[in-house]
Amino acid sequence: MDYGVSKRVMVLAFTLLAFVWLLKLNKNYLGLAPSGDTPVAPTGVSASPNKNVYGHITNKVAVITDTQYTPRLIPLILHYHSVLGPDWPIVFYTSQETLTQHLDPNSKQASAIWSRAVQDGRIQVRTIPEEFNLTSRDGVNIYLSRPWLWESLAPAQHVLIFQTDAIVCANAHRSLDDFLEWDWIGAPLHATDAWYNGGLSLRNRTMILDILREGNNWENETQSGAWTFGGEDAWFSRKMDARGAHLPPAQESLQFACEFDWHVDQQKEPFGYHKIHKNAPSKLDEIIQWCPEITLAAPGKLAD
């Protein structure tokens, strides 16, 4: 018999068994995990991402207030919810009457998607005090220039105000967070001076409250003639400028929002638009190519 050959076979067999045994000792060797086992995540890498928490206000919040229901309202708010994402909880303020008739998430007549978003806490619906009448422009200015709204949005530092005639564009190259450095940003009302529109605006909530708590009052100044240059948005932006707030130049503001013909001529792809149907109707065909969602925004029922 050839014991030399048999000996070599036995050595090879023992070597193979040893190799298999080593593989079992290290289940993750060469990335081969046995069936049913979970591979270990590399050090410093989470095995699963943190779950987003919708509806919890921390440092940022997006706000719309409207008491005059139209069929565009729910699709518009859901669009903002989708584009802004979970870091921007949305609060919708309305009247009890509008809520009961059109927006009650428990109603069988309500939008199913809307009901789910509200019940999940992704969108909050709150009612405003009866002292506020939002059916006139003066009423809206009073509402936005009194402390009640701003106090109710604590602890947020950054507040996005959007109205039903404003839109943010899903094709935008910049996100809302890219504008957080500014104490106020909106479509510019002047080519060089710090005057900004408020219908789509990002505002420093605590600075607004500081201004109001110092005794400044848009209503009183308007009635007395001390302020004659328009609504609360221009008034607040001028007050902020006077106290040295961090305010953007016009070209930066145009990247945030456009409202007039001269805005659209200078900035073709902004983050959003406000009141474009009224102030730049000839530009709509051009805008819709970049931001088709503009059709969700339209002039509302607000009386002058």
Side-chain angles (χ1 to χ4, degrees), residues 72 76 164-167 258-261 264 273-285 287-288 291-300:
R72 284 189 175 91
L76 179 74
T164 56
D165 55 359
I167 200 70
C258 292
E259 181 171 345
F260 301 103
D261 284 333
V264 180
Y273 296 92
H274 174 246
K275 204 181 288 187
I276 210 76
H277 301 80
K278 179 179 179 180
N279 293 335
S282 64
K283 301 293 186 180
L284 276 173
D285 288 343
I287 291 170
I288 204 169
C291 187
E293 310 97 308
I294 194 68
T295 56
L296 289 174

Side-chain angles (χ1 to χ4, degrees), residues 29-295:
Y29 183 73
L30 296 177
L32 300 174
S35 177
D37 287 0
T38 302
V40 178
T43 303
V45 178
S46 174
S48 61
N50 292 328
K51 184 178 180 180
N52 292 324
V53 179
Y54 280 96
H56 181 63
I57 298 176
T58 53
N59 196 40
K60 302 178 290 188
V61 65
V63 176
I64 178 172
T65 302
D66 202 292
T67 60
Q68 303 185 79
Y69 176 82
T70 71
R72 284 189 175 91
L73 187 58
I74 288 176
L76 179 74
I77 297 174
L78 290 173
H79 169 74
Y80 275 85
H81 166 60
S82 175
V83 172
L84 298 180
D87 288 341
W88 286 89
I90 291 180
V91 178
F92 172 47
Y93 288 94
T94 190
S95 65
Q96 184 61 55
E97 180 182 6
T98 299
L99 173 60
T100 301
Q101 291 183 0
H102 302 286
L103 300 165
D104 183 353
N106 297 312
S107 170
K108 293 182 179 179
Q109 304 302 317
S111 157
I113 297 175
W114 171 263
S115 297
R116 184 177 64 204
V118 174
Q119 290 168 351
D120 289 349
R122 289 177 283 149
I123 296 173
Q124 295 182 29
V125 181
R126 303 178 183 179
T127 55
I128 62 173
E130 293 183 358
E131 67 182 273
F132 296 116
N133 178 3
L134 303 184
T135 60
S136 70
R137 201 163 303 282
D138 277 348
V140 172
N141 281 311
I142 290 171
Y143 169 74
L144 289 169
S145 64
R146 287 184 181 176
W148 180 84
L149 172 66
W150 308 105
E151 290 173 345
S152 72
L153 293 170
Q157 175 81 6
H158 307 283
V159 177
L160 176 72
I161 295 291
F162 66 96
Q163 297 175 342
T164 56
D165 55 359
I167 200 70
V168 292
C169 305
N171 282 326
H173 308 301
R174 300 177 68 178
S175 73
L176 184 54
D177 285 46
D178 291 331
F179 300 97
L180 289 179
E181 68 172 287
W182 308 107
D183 291 318
W184 182 301
I185 190 168
L189 299 175
H190 194 278
T192 56
D193 293 343
W195 298 68
Y196 308 98
N197 182 266
L200 179 63
S201 57
L202 184 59
R203 313 183 184 197
N204 181 326
R205 184 189 71 89
T206 54
M207 185 175 291
I208 285 177
L209 282 174
D210 287 343
I211 290 170
L212 296 177
R213 288 167 180 167
E214 290 171 357
N216 296 290
N217 187 297
W218 177 86
E219 296 171 71
N220 292 344
E221 291 185 27
T222 300
Q223 291 171 3
S224 68
W227 173 257
T228 59
F229 296 103
E232 56 82 31
D233 46 6
W235 182 78
F236 269 126
S237 55
R238 297 307 293 161
K239 295 290 185 184
M240 286 188 175
D241 189 36
R243 66 192 294 121
H246 188 47
L247 300 173
Q251 289 305 313
E252 176 74 0
S253 295
L254 288 177
Q255 291 189 42
F256 179 80
C258 292
E259 181 171 345
F260 301 103
D261 284 333
W262 65 275
H263 291 174
V264 180
D265 289 339
Q266 294 185 41
Q267 178 54 250
K268 303 297 184 183
E269 299 177 350
F271 175 70
Y273 296 92
H274 174 246
K275 204 181 288 187
I276 210 76
H277 301 80
K278 179 179 179 180
N279 293 335
S282 64
K283 301 293 186 180
L284 276 173
D285 288 343
E286 175 185 344
I287 291 170
I288 204 169
Q289 301 303 315
W290 158 250
C291 187
E293 310 97 308
I294 194 68
T295 56

